[in-house]
Amino acid sequence: MELEIRKTKYTFKSLKVEELRKLGSLGSMIVNQDKFCNKYGRLLNLLETNMKEGILSTLIQFYDPLYHCFIFPDYQLLPTLEEYSSIIGLPITGRIPFTGLEGDPKSHDIAKFTHLRKDDIEKNMDTKGGLPGLPTQFLMKKALSFSKAGKVEDFEAVFALLVYGLFLFPNIDKFVDMNAIKIFMKGNPIPTLLGDAYYSIHLRNSYGKGMITCCTPLLYKWYISHLPNTNDLWDIKEGHKRL
């Protein structure tokens, strides 16, 4: 089999995770890690992912739009629901995943899942990029307030929502849009996370350029799980890849 390697340069959406990491570090003093992971997944672990430059850019060159997978000389590779479920630490539930056709939830329903006050949600709801949502600044302030007051479950809910909106399903900077809120409320993010990865990669591959906007750290962790666990794979001192 003759392997065609593309030389197209793709860009990846820059994820601003510094504030989320600080918030997660603050919350780690009051959060029961096991309980948090069981409810929301390994979000803290994913936030700490440090991606080595060039790995994902190289991987994308091997994507085949016809077969919808990454094709290498001796094998084909593609992320699966089970692998994503294992990495993020959440089960694939029987609930209908996010379709994008759902109506927007009422403010009192959002309040139930986020532990926020209904009137606060209505007061701070904004629209950006044609989508309603909540500003990051408002959610950050509420998370800090809950943390200082020792309201663990309230802090966890708002922190998890921020991770959904800014990290798992990034769209508009400093804004958690309604789609992220709906996915958070559904409690079945794995199919959407995998669908986002396939859709974004396939779409940009079709155009031959553009920005990939899925949760790249999750895609990165999936890919390196298939690579040999050896320092010979990457020469840090010399600054070049041995792939």
Side-chain angles (χ1 to χ4, degrees):
M1 174 182 177
E2 185 176 346
L3 183 67
E4 178 185 355
I5 301 179
R6 302 173 183 81
K7 294 184 179 180
T8 306
K9 184 169 183 177
Y10 299 92
T11 58
F12 300 89
K13 184 172 179 60
S14 177
L15 301 179
K16 310 298 183 182
V17 299
E18 291 78 12
E19 285 187 287
L20 285 176
R21 285 177 175 175
K22 290 179 181 178
L23 198 61
S25 176
L26 175 66
S28 66
M29 295 184 290
I30 60 174
V31 170
N32 181 309
Q33 298 292 318
D34 291 336
K35 184 179 178 181
F36 180 82
C37 289
N38 287 336
K39 189 172 184 179
Y40 298 111
R42 301 189 185 99
L43 302 185
L44 294 170
N45 180 265
L46 281 172
L47 281 174
E48 295 300 325
T49 302
N50 292 313
M51 299 189 294
K52 291 183 178 178
E53 186 178 353
I55 290 285
L56 281 186
S57 297
T58 301
L59 170 67
I60 302 302
Q61 305 300 322
F62 291 93
Y63 179 77
D64 189 296
L66 179 62
Y67 293 101
H68 296 264
C69 66
F70 302 99
I71 297 183
F72 297 91
D74 300 315
Y75 60 91
Q76 297 176 350
L77 194 63
L78 69 162
T80 65
L81 286 170
E82 291 77 13
E83 287 177 308
Y84 262 38
S85 175
S86 176
I87 293 170
I88 201 171
L90 288 175
I92 306 165
T93 72
R95 303 171 191 167
I96 298 175
F98 174 72
T99 65
L101 302 176
E102 300 88 348
D104 291 347
K106 303 296 184 182
S107 55
H108 66 268
D109 292 322
I110 298 175
K112 178 181 176 182
F113 282 87
T114 62
H115 296 224
L116 297 170
R117 291 172 56 91
K118 175 178 175 292
D119 55 342
D120 279 345
I121 292 172
E122 293 172 346
K123 181 180 177 181
N124 288 276
M125 188 66 67
D126 198 0
T127 300
K128 290 187 178 181
L131 284 172
L134 294 169
T136 298
Q137 185 179 18
F138 160 68
L139 294 172
M140 286 283 186
K141 286 183 178 178
K142 296 303 294 185
L144 288 170
S145 175
F146 289 147
S147 175
K148 291 178 181 178
K151 297 180 178 179
V152 178
E153 292 186 357
D154 299 346
F155 169 84
E156 290 178 342
V158 176
F159 172 69
L161 177 62
L162 279 163
V163 176
Y164 268 65
L166 303 179
F167 183 74
L168 295 183
F169 303 99
N171 185 17
I172 304 169
D173 291 342
K174 299 182 180 180
F175 193 71
V176 177
D177 67 40
M178 187 57 72
N179 286 336
I181 294 173
K182 287 189 278 191
I183 298 168
F184 176 74
M185 291 173 64
K186 274 183 171 290
N188 188 25
I190 305 302
T192 311
L193 284 166
L194 186 63
D196 266 7
Y198 275 115
Y199 176 77
S200 188
I201 293 171
H202 188 82
L203 182 66
R204 299 312 168 198
N205 187 278
S206 299
Y207 284 107
K209 61 180 180 179
M211 179 181 291
I212 294 173
T213 58
C214 64
C215 180
T216 49
L218 184 56
L219 181 67
Y220 178 85
K221 287 185 77 73
W222 163 77
Y223 182 48
I224 63 173
S225 72
H226 290 273
L227 297 178
N229 186 18
T230 171
N231 290 331
D232 290 337
L233 188 68
W234 189 285
D235 191 332
I236 297 177
K237 290 183 179 180
E238 297 298 327
H240 64 270
K241 287 178 284 186
R242 291 183 175 179
L243 288 172

Short mmCIF file of all heavy atoms in Angstrom, two decimals, residues 96-140:
data_model
loop_
_atom_site.label_atom_id
_atom_site.label_comp_id
_atom_site.label_asym_id
_atom_site.label_seq_id
_atom_site.Cartn_x
_atom_site.Cartn_y
_atom_site.Cartn_z
N ILE A 96 -30.28 9.81 25.14
CA ILE A 96 -30.08 10.34 23.79
C ILE A 96 -29.02 11.44 23.85
O ILE A 96 -29.15 12.39 24.62
CB ILE A 96 -31.40 10.92 23.23
CG1 ILE A 96 -32.45 9.82 23.12
CG2 ILE A 96 -31.15 11.58 21.87
CD1 ILE A 96 -33.80 10.31 22.69
N PRO A 97 -27.96 11.33 23.06
CA PRO A 97 -26.92 12.36 23.10
C PRO A 97 -27.40 13.66 22.47
O PRO A 97 -28.47 13.72 21.85
CB PRO A 97 -25.77 11.74 22.28
CG PRO A 97 -26.45 10.79 21.36
CD PRO A 97 -27.64 10.25 22.11
N PHE A 98 -26.61 14.68 22.61
CA PHE A 98 -26.92 16.00 22.07
C PHE A 98 -27.05 15.93 20.55
O PHE A 98 -26.19 15.37 19.87
CB PHE A 98 -25.81 16.98 22.47
CG PHE A 98 -25.95 18.34 21.86
CD1 PHE A 98 -26.94 19.21 22.30
CD2 PHE A 98 -25.08 18.76 20.87
CE1 PHE A 98 -27.06 20.49 21.75
CE2 PHE A 98 -25.19 20.03 20.32
CZ PHE A 98 -26.18 20.89 20.76
N THR A 99 -28.13 16.49 20.01
CA THR A 99 -28.35 16.48 18.57
C THR A 99 -28.25 17.87 17.94
O THR A 99 -28.10 17.99 16.72
CB THR A 99 -29.75 15.92 18.24
OG1 THR A 99 -30.75 16.79 18.77
CG2 THR A 99 -29.92 14.53 18.85
N GLY A 100 -28.38 18.90 18.76
CA GLY A 100 -28.39 20.26 18.23
C GLY A 100 -29.78 20.75 17.86
O GLY A 100 -29.96 21.91 17.48
N LEU A 101 -30.74 19.86 17.96
CA LEU A 101 -32.12 20.21 17.61
C LEU A 101 -32.96 20.50 18.84
O LEU A 101 -34.13 20.88 18.72
CB LEU A 101 -32.76 19.07 16.81
CG LEU A 101 -32.04 18.67 15.51
CD1 LEU A 101 -32.74 17.47 14.88
CD2 LEU A 101 -32.01 19.85 14.54
N GLU A 102 -32.38 20.32 20.02
CA GLU A 102 -33.12 20.55 21.25
C GLU A 102 -33.45 22.03 21.44
O GLU A 102 -32.68 22.90 21.04
CB GLU A 102 -32.31 20.07 22.47
CG GLU A 102 -31.94 18.60 22.46
CD GLU A 102 -30.64 18.31 21.73
OE1 GLU A 102 -30.14 19.23 21.04
OE2 GLU A 102 -30.15 17.19 21.84
N GLY A 103 -34.60 22.28 22.04
CA GLY A 103 -34.92 23.65 22.39
C GLY A 103 -34.09 24.10 23.58
O GLY A 103 -33.57 23.28 24.34
N ASP A 104 -33.92 25.40 23.73
CA ASP A 104 -33.13 25.93 24.84
C ASP A 104 -33.85 25.68 26.17
O ASP A 104 -35.06 25.92 26.27
CB ASP A 104 -32.89 27.42 24.67
CG ASP A 104 -31.97 27.73 23.51
OD1 ASP A 104 -31.33 26.79 23.00
OD2 ASP A 104 -31.91 28.91 23.09
N PRO A 105 -33.14 25.21 27.16
CA PRO A 105 -33.77 24.97 28.46
C PRO A 105 -34.16 26.26 29.15
O PRO A 105 -33.58 27.32 28.90
CB PRO A 105 -32.67 24.24 29.25
CG PRO A 105 -31.40 24.70 28.63
CD PRO A 105 -31.71 24.88 27.17
N LYS A 106 -35.14 26.18 30.02
CA LYS A 106 -35.57 27.34 30.79
C LYS A 106 -34.53 27.65 31.87
O LYS A 106 -33.75 26.78 32.27
CB LYS A 106 -36.93 27.08 31.43
CG LYS A 106 -38.03 26.72 30.44
CD LYS A 106 -38.33 27.87 29.49
CE LYS A 106 -39.49 27.51 28.56
NZ LYS A 106 -39.77 28.60 27.58
N SER A 107 -34.55 28.88 32.34
CA SER A 107 -33.56 29.30 33.33
C SER A 107 -33.66 28.50 34.62
O SER A 107 -32.64 28.20 35.25
CB SER A 107 -33.71 30.79 33.62
OG SER A 107 -35.03 31.10 34.02
N HIS A 108 -34.87 28.08 35.01
CA HIS A 108 -34.99 27.31 36.25
C HIS A 108 -34.42 25.90 36.08
O HIS A 108 -33.96 25.30 37.05
CB HIS A 108 -36.44 27.26 36.72
CG HIS A 108 -37.37 26.51 35.82
ND1 HIS A 108 -38.08 27.14 34.83
CD2 HIS A 108 -37.71 25.19 35.75
CE1 HIS A 108 -38.83 26.25 34.19
NE2 HIS A 108 -38.61 25.06 34.73
N ASP A 109 -34.46 25.38 34.85
CA ASP A 109 -33.84 24.06 34.60
C ASP A 109 -32.32 24.16 34.64
O ASP A 109 -31.64 23.29 35.18
CB ASP A 109 -34.30 23.51 33.24
CG ASP A 109 -35.77 23.15 33.22
OD1 ASP A 109 -36.26 22.62 34.25
OD2 ASP A 109 -36.43 23.39 32.20
N ILE A 110 -31.78 25.23 34.05
CA ILE A 110 -30.33 25.45 34.11
C ILE A 110 -29.88 25.60 35.55
O ILE A 110 -28.85 25.06 35.96
CB ILE A 110 -29.94 26.69 33.28
CG1 ILE A 110 -30.30 26.49 31.80
CG2 ILE A 110 -28.44 26.97 33.41
CD1 ILE A 110 -30.06 27.73 30.94
N ALA A 111 -30.66 26.34 36.33
CA ALA A 111 -30.33 26.56 37.74
C ALA A 111 -30.25 25.25 38.51
O ALA A 111 -29.38 25.07 39.37
CB ALA A 111 -31.38 27.49 38.37
N LYS A 112 -31.13 24.32 38.18
CA LYS A 112 -31.15 23.02 38.87
C LYS A 112 -29.85 22.25 38.66
O LYS A 112 -29.33 21.63 39.58
CB LYS A 112 -32.34 22.21 38.37
CG LYS A 112 -32.44 20.82 38.98
CD LYS A 112 -33.63 20.07 38.39
CE LYS A 112 -33.70 18.64 38.93
NZ LYS A 112 -34.85 17.90 38.32
N PHE A 113 -29.31 22.31 37.47
CA PHE A 113 -28.10 21.55 37.15
C PHE A 113 -26.82 22.28 37.53
O PHE A 113 -25.78 21.66 37.75
CB PHE A 113 -28.07 21.21 35.66
CG PHE A 113 -28.96 20.07 35.26
CD1 PHE A 113 -30.29 20.29 34.95
CD2 PHE A 113 -28.48 18.77 35.22
CE1 PHE A 113 -31.13 19.25 34.59
CE2 PHE A 113 -29.30 17.72 34.86
CZ PHE A 113 -30.63 17.95 34.55
N THR A 114 -26.85 23.59 37.56
CA THR A 114 -25.63 24.37 37.80
C THR A 114 -25.53 24.91 39.21
O THR A 114 -24.50 25.49 39.57
CB THR A 114 -25.57 25.57 36.83
OG1 THR A 114 -26.70 26.43 37.05
CG2 THR A 114 -25.58 25.09 35.38
N HIS A 115 -26.59 24.75 40.02
CA HIS A 115 -26.62 25.26 41.39
C HIS A 115 -26.55 26.78 41.43
O HIS A 115 -26.13 27.36 42.44
CB HIS A 115 -25.48 24.66 42.21
CG HIS A 115 -25.57 23.19 42.40
ND1 HIS A 115 -25.35 22.57 43.61
CD2 HIS A 115 -25.88 22.18 41.54
CE1 HIS A 115 -25.49 21.25 43.47
NE2 HIS A 115 -25.82 21.01 42.22
N LEU A 116 -26.94 27.42 40.33
CA LEU A 116 -26.98 28.87 40.29
C LEU A 116 -28.42 29.35 40.54
O LEU A 116 -29.37 28.59 40.36
CB LEU A 116 -26.51 29.38 38.92
CG LEU A 116 -25.07 29.08 38.55
CD1 LEU A 116 -24.82 29.41 37.08
CD2 LEU A 116 -24.10 29.85 39.44
N ARG A 117 -28.56 30.59 40.90
CA ARG A 117 -29.89 31.15 41.12
C ARG A 117 -30.53 31.49 39.77
O ARG A 117 -29.86 31.97 38.84
CB ARG A 117 -29.80 32.42 41.98
CG ARG A 117 -29.39 32.15 43.42
CD ARG A 117 -29.14 33.47 44.15
NE ARG A 117 -30.31 34.33 44.07
CZ ARG A 117 -31.29 34.34 44.97
NH1 ARG A 117 -31.23 33.54 46.02
NH2 ARG A 117 -32.32 35.18 44.84
N LYS A 118 -31.82 31.24 39.68
CA LYS A 118 -32.57 31.51 38.45
C LYS A 118 -32.45 32.97 38.03
O LYS A 118 -32.21 33.27 36.85
CB LYS A 118 -34.04 31.13 38.65
CG LYS A 118 -34.97 31.48 37.50
CD LYS A 118 -36.37 31.00 37.82
CE LYS A 118 -37.38 31.44 36.75
NZ LYS A 118 -37.57 32.91 36.74
N ASP A 119 -32.57 33.89 38.97
CA ASP A 119 -32.51 35.30 38.62
C ASP A 119 -31.10 35.72 38.19
O ASP A 119 -30.94 36.60 37.33
CB ASP A 119 -33.00 36.17 39.78
CG ASP A 119 -32.25 35.90 41.08
OD1 ASP A 119 -31.61 34.85 41.19
OD2 ASP A 119 -32.32 36.75 41.99
N ASP A 120 -30.07 35.07 38.75
CA ASP A 120 -28.69 35.36 38.33
C ASP A 120 -28.47 34.92 36.88
O ASP A 120 -27.78 35.59 36.10
CB ASP A 120 -27.69 34.66 39.24
CG ASP A 120 -27.45 35.40 40.55
OD1 ASP A 120 -27.83 36.59 40.61
OD2 ASP A 120 -26.92 34.80 41.49
N ILE A 121 -29.02 33.76 36.54
CA ILE A 121 -28.89 33.25 35.17
C ILE A 121 -29.58 34.19 34.19
O ILE A 121 -29.01 34.54 33.15
CB ILE A 121 -29.49 31.83 35.07
CG1 ILE A 121 -28.63 30.84 35.87
CG2 ILE A 121 -29.58 31.38 33.61
CD1 ILE A 121 -29.22 29.46 35.99
N GLU A 122 -30.79 34.59 34.50
CA GLU A 122 -31.54 35.48 33.62
C GLU A 122 -30.85 36.84 33.48
O GLU A 122 -30.81 37.42 32.38
CB GLU A 122 -32.96 35.66 34.15
CG GLU A 122 -33.79 34.37 34.09
CD GLU A 122 -35.12 34.49 34.79
OE1 GLU A 122 -35.30 35.47 35.55
OE2 GLU A 122 -35.97 33.62 34.58
N LYS A 123 -30.27 37.33 34.55
CA LYS A 123 -29.61 38.62 34.54
C LYS A 123 -28.33 38.61 33.70
O LYS A 123 -27.98 39.59 33.04
CB LYS A 123 -29.28 39.05 35.97
CG LYS A 123 -28.59 40.40 36.08
CD LYS A 123 -28.30 40.73 37.54
CE LYS A 123 -27.55 42.06 37.67
NZ LYS A 123 -27.25 42.37 39.09
N ASN A 124 -27.60 37.47 33.72
CA ASN A 124 -26.30 37.40 33.05
C ASN A 124 -26.33 36.70 31.69
O ASN A 124 -25.31 36.68 31.00
CB ASN A 124 -25.30 36.68 33.95
CG ASN A 124 -24.89 37.51 35.15
OD1 ASN A 124 -24.00 38.35 35.06
ND2 ASN A 124 -25.56 37.28 36.29
N MET A 125 -27.45 36.12 31.31
CA MET A 125 -27.55 35.47 30.00
C MET A 125 -27.29 36.49 28.90
O MET A 125 -27.88 37.57 28.87
CB MET A 125 -28.93 34.84 29.84
CG MET A 125 -29.09 33.97 28.59
SD MET A 125 -28.05 32.47 28.61
CE MET A 125 -28.78 31.52 29.96
N ASP A 126 -26.41 36.13 27.98
CA ASP A 126 -26.00 37.03 26.90
C ASP A 126 -26.02 36.24 25.58
O ASP A 126 -26.22 35.02 25.58
CB ASP A 126 -24.61 37.58 27.18
CG ASP A 126 -24.29 38.82 26.37
OD1 ASP A 126 -25.15 39.25 25.58
OD2 ASP A 126 -23.18 39.36 26.51
N THR A 127 -25.80 36.93 24.48
CA THR A 127 -25.74 36.28 23.17
C THR A 127 -24.45 36.67 22.46
O THR A 127 -24.13 37.86 22.34
CB THR A 127 -26.94 36.67 22.29
OG1 THR A 127 -28.15 36.27 22.94
CG2 THR A 127 -26.86 35.98 20.93
N LYS A 128 -23.71 35.67 22.00
CA LYS A 128 -22.48 35.89 21.23
C LYS A 128 -22.42 34.86 20.11
O LYS A 128 -22.74 33.70 20.32
CB LYS A 128 -21.24 35.77 22.12
CG LYS A 128 -21.07 36.89 23.13
CD LYS A 128 -19.74 36.78 23.84
CE LYS A 128 -19.55 37.95 24.82
NZ LYS A 128 -18.24 37.86 25.51
N GLY A 129 -22.02 35.30 18.94
CA GLY A 129 -21.93 34.40 17.81
C GLY A 129 -23.26 33.76 17.45
O GLY A 129 -23.30 32.66 16.91
N GLY A 130 -24.34 34.46 17.76
CA GLY A 130 -25.66 33.94 17.44
C GLY A 130 -26.19 32.93 18.44
O GLY A 130 -27.27 32.37 18.24
N LEU A 131 -25.44 32.69 19.51
CA LEU A 131 -25.85 31.71 20.52
C LEU A 131 -25.98 32.37 21.89
O LEU A 131 -25.11 33.15 22.28
CB LEU A 131 -24.83 30.57 20.62
CG LEU A 131 -24.83 29.52 19.52
CD1 LEU A 131 -23.62 28.60 19.70
CD2 LEU A 131 -26.11 28.71 19.53
N PRO A 132 -27.04 32.05 22.62
CA PRO A 132 -27.13 32.55 24.00
C PRO A 132 -26.16 31.76 24.88
O PRO A 132 -25.72 30.66 24.53
CB PRO A 132 -28.59 32.26 24.38
CG PRO A 132 -28.99 31.12 23.52
CD PRO A 132 -28.23 31.28 22.23
N GLY A 133 -25.83 32.31 26.02
CA GLY A 133 -24.93 31.62 26.93
C GLY A 133 -24.58 32.49 28.11
O GLY A 133 -25.16 33.57 28.31
N LEU A 134 -23.62 32.03 28.89
CA LEU A 134 -23.21 32.74 30.10
C LEU A 134 -21.74 33.16 30.00
O LEU A 134 -20.89 32.34 29.62
CB LEU A 134 -23.41 31.85 31.32
CG LEU A 134 -24.86 31.50 31.65
CD1 LEU A 134 -24.93 30.40 32.71
CD2 LEU A 134 -25.62 32.74 32.12
N PRO A 135 -21.41 34.39 30.35
CA PRO A 135 -20.02 34.86 30.30
C PRO A 135 -19.14 34.12 31.31
O PRO A 135 -19.58 33.80 32.42
CB PRO A 135 -20.13 36.34 30.67
CG PRO A 135 -21.56 36.70 30.44
CD PRO A 135 -22.34 35.46 30.74
N THR A 136 -17.91 33.87 30.91
CA THR A 136 -16.96 33.20 31.79
C THR A 136 -16.74 33.98 33.08
O THR A 136 -16.63 33.39 34.16
CB THR A 136 -15.61 33.02 31.06
OG1 THR A 136 -15.81 32.19 29.92
CG2 THR A 136 -14.59 32.36 31.97
N GLN A 137 -16.67 35.28 32.97
CA GLN A 137 -16.40 36.11 34.15
C GLN A 137 -17.45 35.90 35.24
O GLN A 137 -17.14 35.78 36.42
CB GLN A 137 -16.34 37.58 33.75
CG GLN A 137 -15.96 38.52 34.88
CD GLN A 137 -15.88 39.97 34.44
OE1 GLN A 137 -16.42 40.34 33.39
NE2 GLN A 137 -15.20 40.80 35.22
N PHE A 138 -18.71 35.83 34.84
CA PHE A 138 -19.79 35.59 35.79
C PHE A 138 -19.64 34.23 36.46
O PHE A 138 -19.75 34.11 37.68
CB PHE A 138 -21.14 35.69 35.06
CG PHE A 138 -22.27 35.01 35.78
CD1 PHE A 138 -22.75 35.51 36.99
CD2 PHE A 138 -22.87 33.88 35.24
CE1 PHE A 138 -23.80 34.87 37.65
CE2 PHE A 138 -23.91 33.24 35.90
CZ PHE A 138 -24.38 33.74 37.11
N LEU A 139 -19.37 33.19 35.66
CA LEU A 139 -19.25 31.83 36.21
C LEU A 139 -18.02 31.69 37.10
O LEU A 139 -18.06 31.00 38.12
CB LEU A 139 -19.21 30.81 35.07
CG LEU A 139 -20.50 30.70 34.24
CD1 LEU A 139 -20.28 29.80 33.02
CD2 LEU A 139 -21.63 30.15 35.10
N MET A 140 -16.93 32.34 36.72
CA MET A 140 -15.73 32.30 37.55
C MET A 140 -15.98 32.92 38.92
O MET A 140 -15.56 32.38 39.95
CB MET A 140 -14.58 33.03 36.84
CG MET A 140 -13.97 32.29 35.67
SD MET A 140 -12.87 30.96 36.24
CE MET A 140 -12.18 30.41 34.68
#
